Amino acid sequence: MLRIRSLEAGYGNLKVLRRVSIHVSPGEIVTIIGANGAGKTTLLLTIAGLLRAQVGEILFDKQDIGRHAPETIALLGCALVPEGRQLFAPMTVRENLQLGAYVQIRRGRAHEVESDLGRVFDLFPRLRERASQLAGTLSGGEQQMLAIARALMARPKLIMMDEPSMGLAPLVVKDIFGIIRRLGSEGHTVLLVEQNAKAALRIANRGYVLENGRILLEENAEDLLANRDVQRAYLGRDLDSETELDGKRR
Amino acid sequence: MGRRRNLPIVALAMAVIAVQLLTAAAGKPQYLTQLTMAGYYSLVIVGLTLLMGYTGQISLGHAGFFAIGGYTSGLLTTYNLHPLIGQIPVSILQACGLLVSGKDLYGADLLVVRPWAACVVALLVTIGIAYLVGKPVLKLKGHYLAMATLGFGTIVYKVVLGSSLVGAADGISDIPAFPLFAGLVVTGKSALRAQNYYVAWGLVLGAMALLTNLIRSRVGRALRAIHGAEDAANAMGVDTGRYKLQMFVLSAALAALGGVFLTHYNGGIGPSEASVMKSVRYVAIVAVGGMANLWGALFMGVLLNFLSLRGSFGSYDDAVFGLILLAIMLFAPDGLLRAEFARRLPGLRRGQKAAP
């Protein structure tokens, strides 16, 4: 699905990513964990085309998308749930979702949008109740759900999520991770970037550790959870207290 | 559905007629002159509302586009080609029926471009310039975009002020009337006042019909998304760069259209039309009208321009518009006609204000 080789990218003269290589197979949930400033968001923005890849290649569905414009990458089936949600605040929930389906209309599948809207509302009943409400008036958790739902409306082959738990109450975080797990079990392919490493590793199949713009480790999610260095650096000491997700594992 | 959607347009048409009848009944037909001029300025304002309010891209250079339209048409319809008769380019234009001959005030022979041809050229020139300016400039955001468009506006102003070809500080005068079709003529003759009022407001109605339908379409949704969160819209597959450029060019073309018609209506144009204060005035009117509110901007534009043209603000004309802009930014950054809406959404105000 997605294969990145020796990717280097950043902002102007500031190089953030150094020789990053990752891959995501169809149906997998892959997470990238790392501290603040490790380059997680930069990586997703570069895949989405919002930042330019300086060196290396990004193969999506066997096509090199490293030089493609963001709108082309979206059309190919790569959806982004951006950091901080980035909803269209002065537009209604329904309009936000319709905008998510923008590429479907460009693909000539406008007739599918209505039924997709129903499917997404089934997945997030709360959004159906608030369909005519302005996105900016939703609670944080609802906004995050809308951001995910908006990405689903594009019928993506790959969904990239940037810190979906950011700024949310622990109970809401649990809901959001439950949704991501459900997307995975329904066959969606997810690339998840998270600071909340423990919760992310519990729902993921595989994980990468990104530090200072380099990939340090790549392992199965369970092995990473058990890895002592990872525990010390990213999981904190309350590893065994099982406060999140009630200890559920895939 | 379709009829219901166009209800506001029909209402505007009826208001236009009612105002004309009212001025006739009240014996104040001279008001129609200012209302005609305000109508042409409204073309700039509604175009700028599309660009600023809906697409979220500011321009402090729209007086420049208005002036490019007016000056191009004014120059072409006054520049005497008679001494050049016999030269190949002039002969070709003559053969195509694009030139018209006449006499100037002193009875000398005059050969100039026909107004409709000049109007088409003026619009094409403006569209070309807007494209060339917009392409690089619209990559900028916020303050940087404001400053770059301000730079463009300043260049246009200084060029028309400094070029003797277009009369420097005096501008161009003796610009001929613009015969349209079916006997309609764009001219300042007081006998044709009512007719010209309807020509101007017919154009405004056409522009409003076009723009209100545009913002309700899928394109309009994409534009509002660009305003709300540009990168997210881009990642949703919206070609943000192309849309921004299209709206910039469309709003510039509307400004130029207003410029061409007002120039022929007034029979002249001067450099003050290109001044930065004019651009600030347009921005202030869009802001006071409610930013993303075509009807609000149209209403405030007509009201304020009418008062300004009547001389109600005296020599403080520009200062009044500066004050309006200052007050709006301080007390109602989403516009006067949307202040109530903004109050109900306190959490939104910051975000919406970020890129005026």
Side-chain angles (χ1 to χ4, degrees), chain A residues 70-71 90 95 98 102 106 137, chain B residues 221 224 234 237 243 345 352:
Chain A
E71 62 269 15
E95 285 177 315
Q98 283 169 333
Y102 193 87
R106 280 180 70 188
T137 64
Chain B
R221 202 152 61 213
R224 284 185 293 148
N234 204 185
Y243 275 128
L345 292 172
Q352 284 186 334

Side-chain angles (χ1 to χ4, degrees), chain B residues 19-33:
Chain B
V19 166
Q20 193 262 321
L21 296 177
L22 221 63
T23 54
K28 299 266 188 200
Q30 64 270 31
Y31 283 178
L32 289 184
T33 300

Side-chain angles (χ1 to χ4, degrees), chain B residues 202-289:
Chain B
L203 278 180
V204 174
L205 277 165
M208 286 303 281
L210 173 76
L211 297 186
T212 50
N213 278 299
L214 184 71
I215 58 171
R216 267 197 303 253
S217 69
R218 186 165 66 92
V219 176
R221 202 152 61 213
L223 297 181
R224 284 185 293 148
I226 293 173
H227 192 178
E230 190 175 329
D231 277 351
N234 204 185
M236 299 288 94
V238 177
D239 191 342
T240 52
R242 202 191 61 192
Y243 275 128
K244 288 197 290 182
L245 187 57
Q246 282 175 348
M247 295 311 126
F248 188 74
V249 171
L250 175 61
S251 67
L254 278 171
L257 189 68
V260 169
F261 274 74
L262 186 61
T263 298
H264 287 282
Y265 181 70
N266 284 341
I269 184 170
S272 71
E273 287 299 348
S275 80
V276 167
M277 272 319 297
K278 270 284 159 75
S279 290
V280 170
R281 166 181 302 209
Y282 299 139
V283 169
I285 290 171
V286 172
V288 81

Side-chain angles (χ1 to χ4, degrees), chain B:
Chain B
M1 187 72 186
R3 197 173 289 168
R4 188 114 172 240
R5 281 182 152 200
N6 290 323
L7 209 63
I9 301 288
V10 176
L12 175 62
M14 292 190 330
V16 166
I17 296 169
V19 166
Q20 193 262 321
L21 296 177
L22 221 63
T23 54
K28 299 266 188 200
Q30 64 270 31
Y31 283 178
L32 289 184
T33 300
Q34 286 91 36
L35 286 170
T36 303
M37 294 171 74
Y40 289 134
Y41 284 126
S42 296
L43 293 174
V44 195
I45 287 156
V46 293
L48 194 60
T49 303
L50 177 74
L51 182 68
M52 271 179 66
Y54 291 91
T55 323
Q57 310 299 311
I58 194 174
S59 168
L60 281 169
H62 264 51
F65 292 121
F66 181 95
I68 290 171
Y71 266 100
T72 306
S73 195
L75 178 65
L76 289 175
T77 52
T78 54
Y79 190 79
N80 193 0
L81 295 171
H82 196 265
L84 302 175
I85 282 180
Q87 292 194 10
I88 292 164
V90 174
S91 305
I92 293 172
L93 291 176
Q94 241 174 338
C96 296
L98 297 177
L99 302 182
V100 60
S101 48
K103 303 271 183 199
D104 71 8
L105 281 172
Y106 313 103
D109 286 322
L110 204 57
L111 183 68
V112 295
V113 177
R114 278 186 196 279
W116 69 262
C119 173
V120 171
V121 172
L123 291 180
L124 292 178
V125 166
T126 311
I127 287 169
I129 292 175
Y131 182 85
L132 291 178
V133 171
K135 186 107 183 156
V137 155
L138 288 167
K139 294 204 171 84
L140 305 173
K141 287 175 185 167
H143 312 63
Y144 301 98
L145 178 61
M147 284 192 263
T149 52
L150 180 66
F152 165 74
T154 309
I155 291 169
V156 175
Y157 177 58
K158 286 296 177 188
V159 166
V160 296
L161 188 64
S163 302
S164 54
L165 178 67
V166 292
D170 297 330
I172 306 176
S173 50
D174 298 326
I175 294 173
F178 181 176
L180 297 170
F181 49 86
L184 291 175
V185 184
V186 178
T187 168
K189 281 198 187 113
S190 51
L192 298 176
R193 209 179 246 151
Q195 188 203 87
N196 270 273
Y197 166 81
Y198 282 114
V199 168
W201 281 91
L203 278 180
V204 174
L205 277 165
M208 286 303 281
L210 173 76
L211 297 186
T212 50
N213 278 299
L214 184 71
I215 58 171
R216 267 197 303 253
S217 69
R218 186 165 66 92
V219 176
R221 202 152 61 213
L223 297 181
R224 284 185 293 148
I226 293 173
H227 192 178
E230 190 175 329
D231 277 351
N234 204 185
M236 299 288 94
V238 177
D239 191 342
T240 52
R242 202 191 61 192
Y243 275 128
K244 288 197 290 182
L245 187 57
Q246 282 175 348
M247 295 311 126
F248 188 74
V249 171
L250 175 61
S251 67
L254 278 171
L257 189 68
V260 169
F261 274 74
L262 186 61
T263 298
H264 287 282
Y265 181 70
N266 284 341
I269 184 170
S272 71
E273 287 299 348
S275 80
V276 167
M277 272 319 297
K278 270 284 159 75
S279 290
V280 170
R281 166 181 302 209
Y282 299 139
V283 169
I285 290 171
V286 172
V288 81
M291 288 293 184
N293 185 347
L294 279 172
W295 294 102
L298 178 66
F299 176 77
M300 295 309 287
V302 173
L303 180 70
L304 292 172
N305 270 318
F306 179 77
L307 291 176
S308 164
L309 291 163
R310 294 283 317 161
S312 306
F313 305 139
S315 48
Y316 300 107
D317 208 28
D318 285 339
V320 166
F321 285 95
L323 184 68
I324 288 172
L325 194 57
L326 187 69
I328 287 294
M329 289 304 137
L330 279 176
F331 303 115
D334 296 305
L336 202 58
L337 298 184
R338 283 228 306 193
E340 185 51 42
F341 175 74
R343 222 194 321 276
R344 276 185 277 141
L345 292 172
L348 276 183
R349 286 181 49 180
R350 290 282 136 193
Q352 284 186 334
K353 209 172 58 167

